[in-house]
Amino acid sequence: MVIEKLRAMVAALGTLAAVLPAVAHADEAAVKKAVEAFVGSPSAVESVAKVPYGGLYEVLMKSGELVYTDDKVTFLLDGRVIDTKTRRDVTAARMAQLSTIDFGTLPLDQAIKQVRGNGSRVLVTFEDPNCTYCKRLAKELTQVKNVTLYTFLYPILTPDSTEKSRTIWCSKDRAKAWNDWILEAKAPPSGPKCDSEVVDRNVELGRKLRINGTPTLFLADGRRIGGYVAAAQLEEALAGVTK
């Protein structure tokens, strides 16, 4: 009798294995629907994926946030998952993967270009002219050699940020106007108006890339660095770029 029961269980498990992919897909759809119902928005979730630990589901919000839940959405876990065997921050690694972009799609003609030294390395930044940490970053960037910098004016802090960005973009020498302001607080002189819609396009681009703060940096391999970074850390990051 016991053997027959075991055989029946094995057969049942075989049948279950055959339908697991479909069930998992259905569960992910159900989790997505339940989370959106909880937050009160029918389009708040970007994706849901079952993860191989803790019976959890990874929920990526369209805001860029990453949370976890179970198959019944009985809780939402907003925090970091640490692998206790390897001491690896699973959440941080996943966020780094999710925040990587296709660098080749960036419209670099919408950025202020500066070539320092031989310009062999490439770094993109999204910056608000009134951002305190952008001003600190600018001082660090003066120490980074042999780099081509692309600065996207990304005014998201105040209306004045937008006005300053437009004035800098319309300056005869955009790089000088930017450096005078961000490094030495010399306001860009008001000159003739120009087509500064590029500033609006930068804001739209930044939102698509889920850039919620400045400065935000991108390396040539698409990796994202959020916030102020010291020159030594930038050098290390640039040295690790693989294309």
Side-chain angles (χ1 to χ4, degrees):
M1 179 67 71
V2 173
I3 293 177
E4 290 178 357
K5 286 184 178 180
L6 286 173
R7 286 175 178 171
M9 290 173 64
V10 170
L13 287 172
T15 303
L16 178 61
V19 300
L20 271 178
V23 171
H25 180 75
D27 286 346
E28 289 168 2
V31 168
K32 180 178 185 296
K33 183 177 180 180
V35 171
E36 290 179 336
F38 174 77
V39 300
S41 173
S43 58
V45 175
E46 180 74 22
S47 64
V48 174
K50 185 77 163 61
V51 294
Y53 42 82
L56 297 175
Y57 284 79
E58 169 196 284
V59 182
L60 175 63
M61 310 300 289
K62 288 189 176 177
S63 63
E65 298 169 283
L66 191 64
V67 297
Y68 302 91
T69 188
D70 63 347
D71 60 344
K72 303 297 184 183
V73 193
T74 53
F75 61 85
L76 286 178
L77 174 62
D78 181 11
R80 302 213 175 265
V81 174
I82 308 295
D83 187 323
T84 56
K85 291 183 178 179
T86 63
R87 297 182 178 273
R88 179 171 176 261
D89 188 330
V90 176
T91 304
R94 181 61 172 148
M95 286 300 294
Q97 181 185 32
L98 290 169
S99 65
T100 298
I101 66 167
D102 182 351
F103 191 88
T105 64
L106 288 175
L108 298 179
D109 60 321
Q110 293 179 198
I112 298 171
K113 181 180 179 180
Q114 300 181 67
V115 179
R116 298 179 180 173
N118 62 25
S120 58
R121 304 177 297 177
V122 180
L123 184 65
V124 163
T125 68
F126 281 73
E127 304 187 55
D128 184 302
N130 289 325
C131 161
T132 300
Y133 285 103
C134 295
K135 295 173 183 178
R136 290 181 60 189
L137 174 67
K139 291 181 172 61
E140 298 296 322
L141 287 173
T142 61
Q143 304 176 49
V144 180
K145 311 302 181 184
N146 299 325
V147 63
T148 299
L149 296 174
Y150 290 96
T151 304
F152 283 83
L153 298 170
Y154 188 55
I156 58 173
L157 296 178
T158 68
D160 178 69
S161 298
T162 301
E163 290 306 309
K164 279 193 174 73
S165 294
R166 294 192 192 282
T167 301
I168 291 170
W169 184 257
C170 289
S171 298
K172 184 176 181 180
D173 188 335
R174 293 167 182 162
K176 183 178 185 305
W178 170 253
N179 289 327
D180 283 349
W181 168 251
I182 207 70
L183 285 168
E184 301 180 27
K186 293 181 181 177
S190 297
K193 299 294 183 181
C194 73
D195 181 4
S196 59
E197 287 186 6
V198 64
V199 174
D200 302 315
R201 294 198 295 274
N202 286 351
V203 172
E204 183 179 353
L205 172 65
R207 287 172 178 161
K208 288 180 180 178
L209 296 175
R210 297 196 189 99
I211 298 175
N212 300 316
T214 56
T216 294
L217 299 76
F218 291 99
L219 302 169
D221 58 7
R223 283 181 293 151
R224 178 187 311 230
I225 302 173
Y228 163 80
V229 187
Q233 293 173 287
L234 280 173
E235 288 287 357
E236 184 179 352
L238 288 166
V241 171
T242 57
K243 296 182 181 179

